Amino acid sequence: MVSTPTLDPAIDAQHRHIDSEQWANIYVVGDVHGCRETLERLLDELDPATDELVVFVGDLVRKGPDSKGVLDIVRERENLLSVRGNNEQKLIDGRKSIDALTDGDLAYIESLPVLLSWDGAVVVHGGIDHRKPVAEHSLTELLNNRSLVPDGSYDRPYWFETRREGPRVFFGHTVLSEPLVTDWAVGLDTGCVYGGQLTAYDTAADELVTVDPPETYQSRSADSIVDPQLQSVPK
């Protein structure tokens, strides 16, 4: 098994380790973005038992029609957990606001860990740059990582297409035309708020579960939807 690398103290305080032996199965779900009805469809499809854990890659909120409803669902069930996404961070920092959210909702958002891990797996919203130790990553990087090119948000190579080492990283943030599943990275943001599917990964069955949204809530330009491709590892 591959353990989670040592983190710097600031990030380590926001890292939660899961004892996988306490759960019969673990599902990981992509960005929900306030799409409550789509989330309900997915949970109906998964039908997780109380001893099965559902982990979200962050960005539960914003862009879709019912961020409050999504948070209520996740907060009310003990077997639903999420990491923090960049959209949660915008609420924490005061850069964005959602009128419907209560003080309790905001406190919950602020309590979300930046990383969740078990055995040889890590869940993070943006990603991990394998060219440097995790301890050298900033919060902003963990929430927003995509391109390995300095300041190149949508310039290849992407970290998830070139990763060839453990731990296996489950992530969202980058909207993909289809899920990416390799031994080293699993990308699950398939853009449900933009009319794509909401995607989950069943770790026990090693398979994807997807549902369609009832409608498209926002448009997105084609050049900001990534067609995942495995790339050669940069020197």
Side-chain angles (χ1 to χ4, degrees):
M1 293 184 182
V2 181
S3 61
T4 304
T6 302
L7 307 170
D8 79 28
I11 300 299
D12 192 50
Q14 298 167 327
H15 169 219
R16 178 173 176 180
H17 182 74
I18 297 167
D19 182 357
S20 63
E21 294 185 0
Q22 294 184 352
W23 302 99
N25 193 11
I26 299 176
Y27 302 95
V28 189
V29 178
D31 301 36
V32 179
H33 277 302
C35 298
R36 177 184 59 81
E37 289 186 61
T38 316
L39 174 58
E40 289 173 336
R41 288 183 179 186
L42 181 64
L43 292 175
D44 286 345
E45 184 71 21
L46 297 178
D47 192 23
T50 56
D51 65 347
E52 294 183 307
L53 180 65
V54 181
V55 177
F56 296 86
V57 299
D59 276 8
L60 297 173
V61 299
R62 299 195 65 244
K63 302 185 180 182
D66 194 358
S67 294
K68 169 66 175 170
V70 170
L71 285 176
D72 286 345
I73 290 171
V74 177
R75 291 183 66 190
E76 287 170 2
R77 296 172 62 167
E78 293 184 357
N79 62 332
L80 271 57
L81 300 174
S82 183
V83 296
R84 185 186 307 180
N86 64 300
N87 278 284
E88 281 84 24
Q89 192 63 44
K90 289 176 182 178
L91 297 177
I92 293 169
D93 295 342
R95 289 176 285 153
K96 298 291 182 180
S97 63
I98 300 172
D99 291 342
L101 299 188
T102 66
D103 289 344
D105 293 326
L106 295 172
Y108 171 78
I109 287 170
E110 192 163 4
S111 75
L112 293 176
V114 175
L115 294 137
L116 285 167
S117 66
W118 65 90
D119 303 334
V122 173
V123 180
V124 65
H125 182 64
I128 296 173
D129 183 344
H130 47 273
R131 301 171 302 176
K132 63 181 182 179
V134 178
E136 295 180 8
H137 286 65
S138 67
L139 174 62
T140 297
E141 288 173 325
L142 292 172
L143 297 184
N144 295 279
N145 268 344
R146 183 181 292 122
S147 173
L148 296 179
V149 178
D151 301 320
S153 182
Y154 284 98
D155 295 326
R156 278 191 163 97
Y158 301 129
W159 73 267
F160 48 86
E161 294 179 335
T162 56
R163 186 175 180 85
R164 299 292 187 275
E165 61 187 66
R168 193 183 203 188
V169 180
F170 293 84
F171 69 99
H173 185 59
T174 300
V175 182
L176 304 173
S177 60
E178 60 184 27
L180 172 74
V181 180
T182 74
D183 290 340
W184 311 280
V186 179
L188 295 169
D189 183 2
T190 44
C192 72
V193 75
Y194 307 110
Q197 295 180 314
L198 182 59
T199 299
Y201 182 79
D202 180 335
T203 64
D206 187 25
E207 66 182 22
L208 297 163
V209 181
T210 61
V211 297
D212 294 315
E215 61 183 285
T216 297
Y217 298 105
Q218 286 202 9
S219 60
R220 190 175 181 92
S221 62
D223 60 1
S224 60
I225 299 176
V226 173
D227 292 321
Q229 306 167 15
L230 288 182
Q231 303 286 311
S232 59
V233 180
K235 300 292 185 181

